[in-house]
Amino acid sequence: METSAPVTYCPGCRATVAVAAPLQAPCPGCGLPLQGPGPIELRAIDGELQRLDARRSGLLARREALLGGLRAGVRAGSPVGSPVGVPLAEGAPAPTPASASADAAPGTARDTLLILGGVLLTLAALTFMLLSWRGIGLGGRTLVLLTLTGAALAVPVTLLRRGLNATGEVVAALGLVLLLLDAFGLHRTAFPEADGLGYAAACAAAIAALWAWYDRLLPDPGLRLVLPTAVVVAQLALPLAALALDGGPEDVAWALLATAWADVALAVARRRPSARTRATAWVSALVTGGLALLLADALPLDGTAAGPQAPSVSGALLLAGVAPPLLWAAHRRPGERALLAAGAGLALLGAAGGLGRWEVPAYLLPSVGLLAVAWWLERRGLGGQGRASMGAGLGLAAAFAQGSALLWALPVVAEAAWGPLEWARAAWDGVPDGPARDALGPELAWSGGAATPLVLGVLAAVAAAAQRLGESAVLRLWAARVALPLAAATGATALLAAGVGHAPTLAALVAAAVGLLLARHTVAGATGLALAVTATGWALAEQASTLAVLGALAAAFVVARGRAVNATHRRVAEAAAVLWCAGLARAVPAALDVPAEWAAFAVLGVAVAAVAAGAGTTRARSAAIEGAGYAVAGWALVLASGGAATASLALGVCGTMATAVALRPERRFPAGVAATALLSAALWVRLAASEVAVPEAYTLHLAVAALVLGAVRRRGDASVSSWHGYGPGLVALFLPSLMAVFSAPDGARALLLSAGALAVTIVGAHHRLGALLALGGATVALVAAHEWGPYITTALGLLPRWTPPACAGLLLLCLGATYERRVNEARRIRAAWRRMG
């Protein structure tokens, strides 16, 4: 009797295979051994993992079933719920729940359906109002709307008693929409002559009151959004009433401020509303109060639009926003106390700005006093403690005013800092006579004034005081970081505001920059770097100043590198020294009238020295110096691009530099790729200048270099496949020539390409390298198809027209008949292909 071949399980490809000799034969799919301690342990681990997966699936299914039973019990009125089925025994299979494929939570699905239903009902109501309104009489319209509104307001009561709160929220929202439509319909029919703004104000007040009363009628637990919606609707009543009474901007501001007071009163009421309602009241107070302050701040002072009493009216309006918040803040809870104090402080600062004709110092100077009051309250322990005290709220208001002043000054400071760099477009053209602020750039004058250094000086003083007197370590740290830059900006803008000339301004900037760079402090070094950039821009206006400033700053950066206090300070000084030395290397040849493309080699010399110093073989390597050297090398390449000879030579120098870096083992591959690209670009530029049009001249050396690098990678790491090692080189070797063969037929090129591709294919087959075999064979096939294609087409044209389809059908029939028998052979071929490098 015949016996079947032994069957075993391969742990590598996880396939059940039949082998003739299980103890010796490997798996035909992946080549791993099938017997031994390792494969046996792998099979045991796979079996245990399968049992764990089955157990986990059963537990998850049981969990879903139990949760479903508990939810069903809660909906049926049982407080505990009833479990479904019997307890799951150990190892017993678990039933698969019917909802196992659901990926949306029940709450999400419910809310989505309800929201969509509410939206559709709202659209239906709007359609009825806009399109079907004229189809029935006044009595019918009134009856329909009142019936719908009454039903929409009555249904939530029943829904709440049955526990359907979410549905009640949606139906109540629909009722509010119907109330608004009722108001619109009454205006169009019963009160057509009424003023639109006045009617809207009355409707807003009436609907807000009705909605608040409706919230009291609902049974517990009520609806969450009814009272917050009433608060939002009530915000429109007073401002619309002020507009309806032909009130001016000050009247609207008073109405907004009164609305904000009412919101605050609701939020801090002793009989507290819900947290959602209180949050809505606070947000509404913030919005309406902020709009009132902004509107009061925008009131004109010359009496052209608001009368001669505009300044006093706006000041009184802003001051009126101070007393109620401060009064409430004295005896409220800590969080509310700080918030109310902040609002009062902002109103007080707005009033002070109004008295000062809305200039920035008029806001800034009172904020310093407010900050002093806040500090005194904190030191005395008055008005609460910590972040929730009145002092914290007043300090927050002062910080807001000072931050706004800083934002106001920043554009002018940025103009003073970066404007001089415009001289790079007109270097050495000379500066006109007069103040330096009139020649910030070639065609740029400074737009700042005396208020800028005043604001910056006050902010610097505040930062210095906070650094010494602040109780928070974080506050002192940030104050220490901003005090010195603010002081430097104050001095620089003061020179511009005072009308000092170009030479004294440049000398002062250079002296300040050098002094800060030599200070052993990180913030001082960063500030000095910013001043050095500005001074360099100023220096570009004249030749002598350019050479002197670049030399002085380069030396200062070199000295600062040795006086650095930490690694970051040292790296910044090193990179800056390289950049300023490169600038000096560019300026000296320019002063000697050397063309830019040849002056690029002086800059390139700095880059080579920097890369050699930063990427040397000693322990004192510096990524900052090396990175700055690469940046300078890129600048040198741009300068050398004016001529083909200089560009090719500069690319060659850079490629040689990258080759030297590639000698380091950890930089071998990236630096080798960069060196290959740079040297190839140098050769391409030279060939293009010589009008060489043969594509192989541009790509052959690159392909050879890529193949050599691939061979080195595969020799050092056996896991690198032939595709990663030789694929890029083979593509660079074959693709340009193949494109040339197809675009411009050339028998010699096609013959050489076919011979080379055939040799590569033979080598790939001999060494079992998939990349060589596939790419070489594909190239031979494409060249053969291109060369023999016309002849094959001509030969096929001589055959009867039914011959090609008949042959194709026969081929498909044969393939279909032998498909099942050849499946195993195809799998073995695929496995053998994968095993080839």
Side-chain angles (χ1 to χ4, degrees), residues 303-754:
T304 56
Q309 301 299 321
S312 61
V313 170
S314 59
L317 190 150
L318 290 166
L319 287 174
V322 179
L326 283 179
L327 182 62
W328 282 323
H331 56 84
R332 301 315 307 171
R333 293 199 332 184
E336 297 171 350
R337 183 186 300 122
L339 189 60
L340 290 168
L346 290 176
L348 185 61
L349 292 177
L355 297 177
R357 303 185 65 84
W358 312 123
E359 295 291 339
V360 174
Y363 294 100
L364 181 61
L365 297 177
S367 72
V368 177
L370 194 64
L371 195 61
V373 172
W375 178 78
W376 180 80
L377 289 174
E378 290 291 327
R379 292 295 298 268
R380 294 289 182 178
L382 301 176
Q385 295 179 353
R387 297 180 181 179
S389 63
M390 289 181 61
L394 295 177
L396 182 62
F400 176 80
Q402 292 169 11
S404 301
L406 180 61
L407 291 178
W408 172 84
L410 279 181
V412 184
V413 175
E415 185 183 33
W418 302 107
L421 297 180
E422 292 288 329
W423 283 107
R425 297 187 295 105
W428 298 356
D429 284 354
V431 294
D433 297 331
R437 66 187 179 194
D438 295 335
L440 196 65
E443 300 177 357
L444 180 64
W446 189 53
S447 61
T452 303
L454 175 61
V455 170
L456 294 173
V458 171
L459 293 176
V462 171
Q467 182 181 356
R468 294 179 59 87
L469 303 176
E471 297 182 358
S472 171
V474 177
L475 176 62
R476 291 197 302 270
L477 177 62
W478 281 103
R481 290 180 177 178
V482 302
L484 187 58
L486 286 174
T490 301
T493 54
L495 292 175
L496 296 177
V500 180
H502 177 268
T505 302
L506 179 59
L509 288 176
V510 173
V514 172
L516 291 172
L517 288 174
L518 298 182
R520 298 177 60 86
H521 194 273
T522 305
V523 177
T527 307
L529 177 61
L531 289 179
V533 173
T534 303
T536 302
W538 282 104
L540 294 176
E542 296 177 342
Q543 177 177 318
S545 63
T546 300
L547 297 175
V549 170
L550 287 175
L553 292 177
F557 281 116
V558 172
V559 176
R561 190 262 180 195
R563 297 174 58 84
V565 295
N566 53 38
T568 302
H569 192 182
R570 183 178 65 254
R571 286 194 291 265
V572 172
E574 290 171 349
V578 173
L579 296 178
W580 261 263
C581 288
L584 185 62
R586 173 66 181 93
V588 171
L592 300 176
D593 295 330
V594 177
E597 56 267 21
W598 291 107
F601 291 96
V603 179
L604 194 56
V606 175
V608 172
V611 172
T617 57
T618 64
R619 294 184 178 179
R621 295 171 182 167
S622 174
I625 295 180
E626 185 180 358
Y630 293 145
V632 171
W635 182 32
L637 291 177
V638 174
L639 294 174
S641 61
T646 55
S648 177
L649 182 58
L651 287 168
V653 172
C654 291
T656 305
M657 178 178 65
T659 304
V661 176
L663 296 177
R664 291 173 51 181
E666 68 273 13
R667 299 287 188 88
R668 182 165 298 162
F669 181 73
V673 172
T676 303
L678 290 168
L679 293 175
S680 300
L683 179 60
W684 291 345
V685 171
R686 174 57 62 186
L687 291 173
S690 303
E691 298 182 354
V692 175
V694 179
E696 289 80 6
Y698 292 88
T699 60
L700 185 59
H701 68 283
L702 187 62
V704 172
L707 291 174
V708 171
L709 287 176
V712 172
R713 286 188 64 192
R714 282 180 54 82
R715 182 174 297 177
D717 187 1
S719 63
V720 178
S721 67
S722 63
W723 289 98
H724 290 87
Y726 302 123
L730 291 175
V731 171
L733 180 65
F734 292 145
L735 185 59
S737 300
L738 192 61
M739 294 176 64
V741 167
F742 275 82
S743 60
D746 186 355
R749 176 180 281 113
L751 181 60
L752 292 175
L753 180 60
S754 299

Side-chain angles (χ1 to χ4, degrees), residues 166-259:
T167 308
E169 296 280 0
V170 175
V171 177
L174 177 61
L176 178 61
V177 173
L178 291 174
L179 278 178
L180 296 176
L181 292 178
D182 290 337
F184 174 75
L186 289 175
H187 180 262
R188 294 295 301 271
T189 58
F191 309 103
E193 303 297 331
D195 178 65
L197 290 175
Y199 183 81
C203 287
I207 291 176
L210 177 62
W211 213 237
W213 175 71
Y214 178 69
D215 179 72
R216 298 174 63 89
L217 297 179
L218 293 173
D220 292 334
L223 298 177
R224 297 176 299 171
L225 301 180
V226 173
L227 195 54
T229 306
V231 174
V232 173
V233 175
Q235 307 302 307
L236 303 175
L238 289 180
L240 290 177
L243 291 175
L245 296 175
D246 296 330
E250 66 277 5
D251 299 318
V252 177
W254 278 111
L256 288 170
L257 190 59
T259 305

Side-chain angles (χ1 to χ4, degrees), residues 66-84 162-164:
L66 290 174
L67 283 177
L70 292 173
R71 294 188 181 111
V74 170
R75 287 193 294 269
S78 173
V80 179
S82 55
V84 178
R162 297 190 177 185
L164 302 177

